[in-house]
């Protein structure tokens, strides 16, 4: 009897062990064939991402940035360029951890005090191209569009997210006063070493104020390549190098947003520039689809067009929406909404998100980029992220800190005759649902100072163009009859552009 019990027990153990082995092998096989990166169920390198399969959240995506993912992108590069907006990101698992294809030299990201250039008021000095990736120039010659963005040091970790699905050149301007210069050098070295797909196509520029010159401190990151999966933790450690005295003035120092925006934009070498903030993330397939549209006759024949790319806020725990149908499902579940919808509605309201969303029913499965509709309800506080030729009015660099920085430039574009047209079905993301918070006193002070500056700015714009389409000069010497005539002329000009872009037979 004991032998029989022992025999049954051994058979059970063997059967259970065999079952576990087979299950493990099956899971490994499924992982290689369709596991993707970070738990995505992808149907192999050449397969399609199904809408029903959840993608990684933004937090896991940040943690998973490493050379393995870079190798997977290299393996599927030829497929990625052919992706439609209906398909998801095509990536696979890497079997090994390859060395970086970029070597960051000792002199990279270093500024020479005897060089650089001043802004128009000689307050800020800029050093262009302190680092330029090996493919930046070649890509700028073959691509119609460049992404221009800017950042303070504490937001640099977003660059890896931005570059992940943006296949065109990137021009980034970084604000580097005092010790933040040394922090920027160390962290950018880390990013480019760990994420070569960023370093290969980026050009970096440093800007700092004349009264807070860069400090050349020997800041390094120990075991750099061993920490490629910790971009946030590494940055937080480096930011501790700022002492309380430095943080005291740094928090109140107006961030020269328009200065660094102009720097980033003017260092793009392409015909078209996509101007966006550093935390605005492109979706998979956006850049090749956008590039195809920008070389089409539709884009070529409109000389004063700005093409708006809608932006949505997405819950941090939500999956990456790789096309519009997935995005709208997230919106229906309360996990996505138009950018700034709760914080400041006027910021993006003129984009008319309802009309853009309605195209999903009118054109289900839409893949190629086209114009969805024109912006017809333009308002002063409109701040879209747009693509335009590099002949648009520059950002006025007198506006510093918060308030009246982006919308004044967009307002001058509107006055000078630019039309805004919303693209479909592409969009960009901002990870995290924004909520209203009380403004600190220093921020409200900056906003009030810029509001006073605007009084002079609007008069200059009126004198420059002789137009006042939003009636900003009400109460001035400009007569009502003259304003009506100017508005009529403006409407006729916009109507001409509208007929060009929206012929009756389409």
């Amino acid at each position: 009897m004991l032998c029989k019990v022992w025999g049954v027990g051994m058979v059970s153990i063997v059967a259970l062990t065999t079952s576990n082995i087979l299950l493990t092998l099956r899971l490994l096989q499924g992982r290689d064939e369709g596991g993707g990166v970070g738990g995505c169920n992808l149907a192999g390198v050449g397969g399609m991402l199904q809408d029903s399969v959840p993608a990684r959240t933004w937090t896991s995506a940040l943690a998973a940035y490493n050379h393995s993912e870079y190798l997977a992108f290299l393996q599927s590069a030829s497929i990625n360029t052919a992706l439609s907006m209906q398909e998801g990101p095509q990536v696979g698992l890497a079997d090994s951890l390859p060395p970086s294809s970029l070597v960051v030299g000792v002199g990279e990201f270093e500024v020479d005090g005897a060089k650089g250039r001043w802004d128009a008021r000689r307050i800020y000095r800029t050093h262009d191209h302190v680092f330029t990736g090996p493919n930046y120039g070649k890509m700028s010659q073959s691509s119609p569009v460049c992404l221009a963005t800017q950042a303070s040091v504490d937001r640099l970790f977003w660059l890896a997210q931005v570059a992940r699905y943006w296949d065109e050149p990137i021009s980034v301007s970084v604000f580097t006063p005092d010790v933040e210069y040394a922090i920027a050098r160390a962290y950018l070295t880390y990013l480019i070493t760990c994420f070569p797909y960023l370093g290969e196509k980026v050009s970096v520029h440093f800007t700092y104020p004349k009264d807070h010159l860069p400090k050349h401190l020997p800041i390094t990151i120990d075991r750099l390549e061993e920490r490629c999966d910790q971009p946030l933790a590494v940055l937080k450690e480096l930011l501790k190098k700022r002492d309380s005295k430095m943080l005291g003035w740094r928090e109140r120092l107006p961030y020269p947003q328009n200065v660094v925006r102009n720097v980033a934009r003017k260092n793009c070498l392409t015909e078209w520039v996509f101007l966006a903030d550093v935390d605005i993330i492109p979706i998979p397939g956006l850049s090749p689809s956008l590039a195809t549209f920008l070389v089409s006759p539709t884009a070529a024949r409109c000389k004063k067009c700005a093409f708006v790319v809608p932006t949505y806020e997405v819950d941090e725990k939500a999956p990456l929406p790789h096309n519009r149908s997935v995005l709208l499902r997230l919106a229906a579940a309360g996990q996505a909404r138009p950018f700034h919808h709760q914080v400041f509605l006027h910021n993006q309201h003129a984009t008319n998100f309802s009309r853009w969303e309605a195209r999903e029913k009118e054109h289900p499965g839409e893949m190629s980029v086209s114009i969805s509709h024109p912006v017809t309800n333009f308002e002063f506080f409109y701040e879209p992220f747009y693509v335009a030729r590099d002949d648009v009015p520059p950002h006025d660099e007198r506006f510093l800190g918060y308030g009246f920085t982006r919308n004044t430039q967009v307002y001058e574009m509107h006055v000078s005759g630019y039309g805004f047209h919303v693209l479909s079905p592409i969009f960009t993301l901002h990870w995290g649902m924004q909520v209203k918070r009380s403004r600190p006193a220093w921020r409200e002070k900056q906003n009030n100072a810029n509001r006073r500056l605007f009084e002079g700015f609007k008069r200059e714009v009126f004198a420059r163009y002789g137009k006042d389409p939003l009636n900003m000069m009400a109460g001035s010497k400009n007569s009502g009859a003259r304003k009506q005539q100017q508005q009529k002329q403006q409407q006729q000009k916009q109507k001409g552009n509208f007929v060009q872009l929206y012929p009756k037979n389409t």
Side-chain angles (χ1 to χ4, degrees), residues 24 48 60 89 112 124 141 187 274 282 322 341 360 424 459 462-463:
T24 302
M48 292 179 62
S60 62
D112 184 346
Y124 301 95
Q141 292 177 354
Y187 192 66
F274 181 20
H322 58 269
H341 184 73
E360 187 63 26
S424 173
R459 290 181 173 83
F462 176 71

Side-chain angles (χ1 to χ4, degrees), residues 281-317:
I281 311 301
I283 62 169
L286 183 149
S287 61
S289 301
L290 176 61
T292 300
F293 169 78
L294 293 175
V295 298
S296 68
T298 300
R301 66 172 171 248
C302 190
K303 302 304 180 184
K304 279 201 167 187
C305 280
F307 299 111
V308 176
V309 180
T311 301
Y312 278 73
E313 303 172 0
V314 178
D315 189 276
E316 296 175 358
K317 298 179 181 179

Side-chain angles (χ1 to χ4, degrees), residues 84-338:
S84 68
M85 297 310 300
Q86 185 64 24
E87 297 175 342
Q90 307 292 316
V91 293
L93 283 175
D95 297 325
S96 60
L97 194 67
S100 172
S101 61
L102 292 173
V103 177
V104 182
V106 175
E108 303 285 11
F109 304 107
E110 186 172 356
V111 301
D112 184 346
K115 299 180 180 178
R117 59 184 176 87
W118 290 107
D119 68 311
R121 297 181 299 156
R122 297 182 67 84
I123 298 176
Y124 301 95
R125 178 175 284 184
T126 292
H127 296 261
D128 301 300
H129 305 289
V130 294
F131 175 87
T132 300
N135 292 334
Y136 182 78
K138 181 170 60 177
M139 293 176 70
S140 297
Q141 292 177 354
S142 60
S143 174
V145 62
C146 165
L147 175 66
T149 190
Q150 43 75 33
S152 53
V153 173
D154 58 318
R155 303 184 68 78
L156 279 176
F157 70 92
W158 287 112
L159 281 178
Q161 272 270 40
V162 169
R164 185 179 178 209
Y165 293 126
W166 179 263
D167 300 329
E168 318 302 326
I170 301 173
S171 173
V172 55
S173 179
V174 186
F175 188 52
T176 56
D178 201 85
V179 70
E180 291 189 355
Y181 161 73
I183 294 174
R185 288 191 66 190
Y187 192 66
L188 286 167
T189 299
Y190 165 84
L191 287 180
I192 287 173
T193 301
C194 291
F195 314 124
Y197 61 80
L198 165 64
E200 289 179 349
K201 57 194 172 191
V202 72
S203 186
V204 181
H205 330 287
F206 284 171
T207 296
Y208 53 86
K210 65 180 181 181
D211 50 352
H212 294 288
L213 301 179
K215 285 188 176 180
H216 296 257
L217 300 180
I219 296 178
T220 57
I221 301 172
D222 295 333
R223 300 177 290 107
L224 186 151
E225 293 193 5
E226 298 177 16
R227 305 189 63 191
C228 285
D229 60 345
Q230 305 173 30
L232 288 172
V234 169
L235 179 59
K236 288 179 179 179
E237 288 180 13
L238 292 175
L239 292 176
K240 293 178 181 178
K241 303 292 183 181
R242 305 181 298 180
D243 58 30
S244 58
K245 181 179 179 181
M246 186 268 184
L247 287 174
W249 61 261
R250 180 64 181 88
E251 185 180 59
R252 296 186 298 273
L253 182 70
Y255 177 59
Q257 298 188 40
N258 285 354
V259 174
V260 290
R261 284 190 178 109
N262 286 338
V263 169
R265 198 184 84 189
K266 284 303 178 182
N267 277 301
C268 278
L269 307 178
T270 56
E271 178 183 3
W272 297 87
V273 176
F274 181 20
L275 189 68
D277 290 344
V278 74
D279 57 353
I280 301 302
I281 311 301
I283 62 169
L286 183 149
S287 61
S289 301
L290 176 61
T292 300
F293 169 78
L294 293 175
V295 298
S296 68
T298 300
R301 66 172 171 248
C302 190
K303 302 304 180 184
K304 279 201 167 187
C305 280
F307 299 111
V308 176
V309 180
T311 301
Y312 278 73
E313 303 172 0
V314 178
D315 189 276
E316 296 175 358
K317 298 179 181 179
L320 171 72
H322 58 269
N323 62 36
R324 183 166 53 196
S325 63
V326 176
L327 174 70
L328 295 185
R329 287 204 293 271
L330 290 177
Q335 292 184 294
R337 66 189 178 207

Side-chain angles (χ1 to χ4, degrees), residues 17 54 73 206 213 279 339 395 428 434 438 477 506:
T17 303
F73 272 91
F206 284 171
L213 301 179
D279 57 353
F339 187 53
H395 288 72
T428 53
Q434 296 184 323
S438 59
K477 295 181 179 179
T506 60

